[in-house]
């Protein structure tokens, strides 16, 4: 299983260090095949030691340059970062990233050999139209994306379930991941209010290879309990 923690705009460098020190101790007994990814905010990127992979929530597709407020390869290379989230719904919705821009980022970081967790998801109005509409909407988010890239992980996050405390039903997760599996062979993560209470049920679903966790990952003890469940 893959357990990925997206801190979003939470934690500082000092609190991230304390978090990772605590998490490393708690997950020492995890299954050897389980993988843990941590995505802190850019200001908390640093050299940390532990049985986890550190990644960037976002970066601009450039080595460096005149891109105010962004970070590029120079900043990521300083901390040996080779993993990145691309396409998260909050970047698409709040930051206005188009599919064209998302695909541009994907191509750039693919060329740099990054491991990419690529996020897709649908809004509530699409979900209410039924499975067929959901599947069409999700597959459109693969436009310009090399789904055969060997370092690709896909995270399915129903937008209406992110940070709301409402997870998709097990039936919705089953049907959506089954449809995605027909389209791609890479690992598939579920995101959208995954937490210690529902992790066992979600992890048992066929075609779910892990979870991308938001608010439930902010506490090291809670996240560790999910990993060790």
């Amino acid at each position: 299983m893959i357990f990925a923690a997206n801190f979003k705009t939470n934690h500082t460098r000092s609190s991230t260090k304390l978090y990772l020190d605590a998490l490393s101790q708690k997950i020492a007994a995890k299954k050897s095949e389980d993988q843990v990814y941590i995505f802190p905010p850019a200001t908390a990127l640093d050299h940390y030691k532990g049985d986890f992979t550190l990644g960037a929530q976002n970066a601009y597709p450039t080595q460096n340059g005149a891109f105010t407020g962004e970070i590029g390869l120079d900043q990521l290379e300083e901390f040996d970062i080779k993993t990145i989230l691309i396409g998260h719904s909050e970047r698409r919705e709040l930051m206005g990233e188009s599919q064209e821009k998302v695909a541009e980022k994907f191509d750039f970081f693919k060329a740099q050999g990054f491991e990419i967790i690529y996020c897709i998801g649908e809004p509530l109005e699409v979900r209410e139209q039924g499975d067929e509409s959901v599947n069409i909407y999700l597959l459109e988010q693969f436009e310009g994306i090399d789904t055969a890239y060997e370092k690709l992980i896909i995270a399915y996050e129903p937008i209406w379930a992110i940070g709301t405390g409402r997870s998709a039903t097990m039936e919705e997760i089953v049907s959506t991941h089954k449809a995605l599996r027909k389209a791609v062979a890479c690992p598939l993560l579920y995101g959208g209010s995954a937490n210690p209470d529902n992790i066992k049920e979600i992890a048992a679903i066929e075609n779910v290879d892990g979870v991308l966790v938001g608010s439930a990952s902010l506490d090291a003890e809670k996240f560790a309990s999910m990993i060790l469940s």
Side-chain angles (χ1 to χ4, degrees):
M1 286 285 289
I2 296 170
F3 298 88
N6 180 13
F7 288 180
K8 305 186 180 183
T9 314
N10 297 287
H11 280 302
T12 62
R13 182 171 295 182
S14 60
S15 69
T16 297
K17 183 181 187 306
L18 292 172
Y19 176 105
L20 292 175
D21 287 345
L23 183 72
S24 294
Q25 293 180 22
K26 293 177 184 298
I27 65 172
K30 76 175 181 64
K31 298 174 184 175
S32 59
E33 65 270 22
D34 287 344
Q35 299 172 267
V36 177
Y37 292 80
I38 306 294
F39 294 90
T43 56
L45 295 178
D46 208 335
H47 293 288
Y48 303 107
K49 294 181 179 179
D51 191 10
F52 54 82
T53 297
L54 193 71
Q57 295 178 20
N58 175 60
Y60 200 80
T62 186
Q63 186 76 38
N64 52 50
F67 305 101
T68 300
E70 295 284 353
I71 60 173
L73 281 180
D74 279 356
Q75 289 74 44
L76 299 181
E77 288 172 348
E78 181 178 10
F79 303 114
D80 302 317
I81 304 294
K82 293 292 288 185
T83 301
I84 189 170
L85 285 177
I86 292 178
H88 193 282
S89 64
E90 290 165 355
R91 300 279 325 164
R92 297 176 189 261
E93 300 278 314
L94 301 178
M95 312 304 174
E97 290 191 359
S98 64
Q99 183 62 32
E100 182 180 9
K101 185 64 177 180
V102 168
E104 178 189 349
K105 282 189 179 183
F106 186 97
D107 284 345
F108 180 85
F109 288 102
K110 171 192 166 185
Q112 303 299 321
F114 271 60
E115 186 170 29
I116 298 172
I117 295 185
Y118 181 69
C119 303
I120 60 174
E122 84 284 355
L124 184 58
E125 59 267 25
V126 173
R127 169 54 66 182
E128 290 176 339
Q129 293 171 15
D131 287 351
E132 184 176 353
S133 293
V134 170
N135 295 338
I136 291 172
Y137 190 92
L138 295 179
L139 292 178
E140 286 176 348
Q141 291 172 66
F142 290 144
E143 183 179 348
I145 303 300
D146 180 8
T147 57
Y149 179 48
E150 67 274 11
K151 294 183 179 180
L152 172 65
I153 298 170
I154 290 173
Y156 164 61
E157 294 191 298
I159 298 170
W160 45 271
I162 298 174
T164 63
R166 173 188 174 188
S167 178
T169 66
M170 295 304 119
E171 291 77 15
E172 288 168 336
I173 300 173
V174 167
S175 64
T176 304
H177 277 247
K178 183 178 180 180
L180 289 172
R181 176 57 67 219
K182 293 178 180 178
V184 298
C186 64
L188 295 173
L189 311 185
Y190 172 74
S193 295
N195 58 63
D197 294 329
N198 60 24
I199 183 60
K200 286 186 178 180
E201 195 172 10
I202 292 174
I205 296 174
E206 187 177 5
N207 298 315
V208 171
D209 303 305
V211 286
L212 178 58
V213 188
S215 58
S217 74
L218 298 180
D219 180 273
E221 186 170 344
K222 285 185 178 180
F223 190 49
S225 74
M226 296 177 70
I227 297 168
L228 299 176
S229 62

